[in-house]
Amino acid sequence: MRYQMIFEKKLDEVLSYTLKKLPRWLGTSITEAVEKNNLSCINEIRLHSNSFVTFIADSRNIKTDITLTQNDINEIIDMICEGSLYAHFDTIKEGYISIGKGIRAGICGRASVENGSICGVSEITSINIRLPKRIFHSADYLFNLLKENDFSNSVILYSRPGVGKTTILRELIYKLSEENPPPRHAVIDTREEITPFMRGELINSDIFISYPKGIAIEIATKSMTPELIICDEISSENEAIAVLKSSNSGVKLIASAHADSFEELCSKEILKELFSHNVFDYALGVKRNAGSKKYDFTLNSFHEADK
């Protein structure tokens, strides 16, 4: 089953906030580049040492005339860390720095490794600032799928990175909160990416911020009596175990995973145990062609696949 949804554009307030977190000279240069290229919506700002700045807008890579040195990258890192690199030590090891309002700067450089684990990152050479957007109606298909079954199904979204899974989850939370009465639902927002726009709004959600995902799923199941738990990528064995325990308690899960096809999704070792225990009823593939303003959804039923 396939379904197409047209994006609704809105003014980019997130970009304005982000530019205030960067050196003034860079913010001015980016603003000029945005105006020069007549861009209304930027998804990523990509910064590289000894190279040029690029944007991703409407799934297109756009090269600018802005070039950066290693000293520029160091200055940018210092500013987004607000002068305290140590305060972001734990997330830097995981490859990102939180800027606030759900904005995340992915980073890479030279890793220090002990016993197979990253214990530090230095000589940062690349920064990828991902700008979260609220896209109205992006969750309509998923919401209707859940509602027609009285919110009694579990669904896993899958796509390549950067297509829009988190955006869909974010909009789903709004839809659930607007339902009368809203189903009880808990949101596991480990990296503060799902719920940044919701602070201070009347959202009928139990939101776990910065909790380790597996632990949060267990606490939510035991303490908040949810009908649904919503989280982003399931990426570790501990998280998968927590999901299985929650499912065995009767809680339905809406989650996501990185995969470019249903076959690739089903082949992932971390998820195989969940699929074998029928944790999910449906897998919803999300795709978007480069330069397109449409989502394509592909629905797969695990029950049909098992026949």
Side-chain angles (χ1 to χ4, degrees):
M1 180 184 297
R2 301 181 70 80
Y3 174 84
Q4 291 189 328
M5 187 280 301
I6 298 178
F7 283 53
E8 283 193 13
K9 289 186 177 181
K10 65 177 293 188
L11 293 176
D12 199 345
E13 299 172 0
V14 176
L15 176 60
S16 177
Y17 173 87
T18 302
L19 296 184
K20 294 177 182 177
K21 296 291 183 176
L22 301 176
R24 185 184 296 273
W25 58 266
L26 180 58
T28 299
S29 296
I30 290 175
T31 300
E32 292 173 351
V34 168
E35 294 174 351
K36 178 181 178 180
N37 290 279
N38 194 27
L39 302 176
S40 59
C41 181
I42 296 179
N43 304 108
E44 296 182 7
I45 301 172
R46 306 179 69 88
L47 314 172
H48 299 89
S49 172
N50 301 315
S51 188
F52 46 82
V53 175
T54 60
F55 301 142
I56 293 182
D58 294 331
S59 298
R60 295 180 297 123
N61 293 328
I62 299 171
K63 179 182 176 181
T64 73
D65 296 328
I66 309 167
T67 57
L68 302 175
T69 66
Q70 184 59 54
N71 286 337
D72 294 332
I73 293 292
N74 295 342
E75 180 185 0
I76 294 164
I77 289 293
D78 185 64
M79 280 206 66
I80 62 179
C81 288
E82 298 181 329
S84 179
L85 199 66
Y86 181 78
H88 298 269
F89 180 75
D90 289 336
T91 64
I92 287 174
K93 289 192 299 181
E94 296 184 23
Y96 73 97
I97 300 169
S98 291
I99 297 178
K101 292 187 180 294
I103 302 164
R104 187 177 68 178
I107 58 100
C108 64
R110 181 184 296 277
S112 299
V113 180
E114 291 184 3
N115 299 321
S117 297
I118 296 175
C119 56
V121 177
S122 61
E123 300 177 32
I124 295 172
T125 54
S126 298
I127 306 170
N128 178 27
I129 303 176
R130 299 181 64 178
L131 306 178
K133 302 287 189 299
R134 181 179 177 187
I135 301 176
F136 296 93
H137 306 299
S138 59
D140 285 1
Y141 181 81
L142 174 58
F143 177 80
N144 291 335
L145 174 67
L146 295 170
K147 186 174 182 178
E148 70 183 14
N149 293 295
D150 199 27
F151 302 101
S152 62
N153 290 139
S154 294
V155 180
I156 183 165
L157 280 72
Y158 66 91
S159 78
R160 295 178 289 103
V163 172
K165 297 184 298 295
T166 303
T167 299
I168 293 170
L169 293 178
R170 183 183 302 125
E171 199 61 25
L172 176 64
I173 296 166
Y174 281 102
K175 297 283 290 184
L176 292 172
S177 294
E178 292 167 357
E179 187 70 358
N180 187 18
R184 301 188 308 276
H185 58 283
V187 182
I188 314 303
D189 195 4
T190 301
R191 292 190 169 190
E192 297 189 59
E193 291 184 291
I194 304 175
T195 61
F197 300 111
M198 300 175 185
R199 313 295 161 78
E201 296 190 32
L202 295 175
I203 299 297
N204 195 281
S205 309
D206 301 317
I207 302 175
F208 291 76
I209 299 171
S210 297
Y211 286 69
K213 197 174 301 172
I215 294 174
I217 290 171
E218 292 184 8
I219 294 174
T221 302
K222 294 176 181 177
S223 303
M224 306 308 293
T225 64
E227 297 170 273
L228 294 169
I229 288 179
I230 301 164
C231 67
D232 54 12
E233 285 85 5
I234 301 170
S235 56
S236 72
E237 185 176 350
N238 287 339
E239 293 169 6
I241 291 172
V243 166
L244 182 57
K245 288 181 179 179
S246 183
S247 176
N248 288 339
S249 299
V251 179
K252 303 303 178 181
L253 189 83
I254 313 300
S256 65
H258 290 320
D260 197 33
S261 67
F262 182 61
E263 292 73 21
E264 183 180 331
L265 177 74
C266 292
S267 70
K268 288 185 171 290
E269 289 297 326
I270 290 175
L271 299 176
K272 281 184 178 179
E273 185 77 4
L274 302 182
F275 297 153
S276 68
H277 284 83
N278 297 314
V279 168
F280 294 100
D281 299 288
Y282 297 105
L284 186 61
V286 184
K287 287 192 175 182
R288 180 167 47 131
N289 293 327
S292 173
K293 298 177 182 178
K294 298 176 181 178
Y295 278 140
D296 283 341
F297 294 117
T298 303
L299 184 66
N300 299 98
S301 170
F302 285 102
H303 304 302
E304 291 176 357
D306 291 339
K307 293 180 180 179

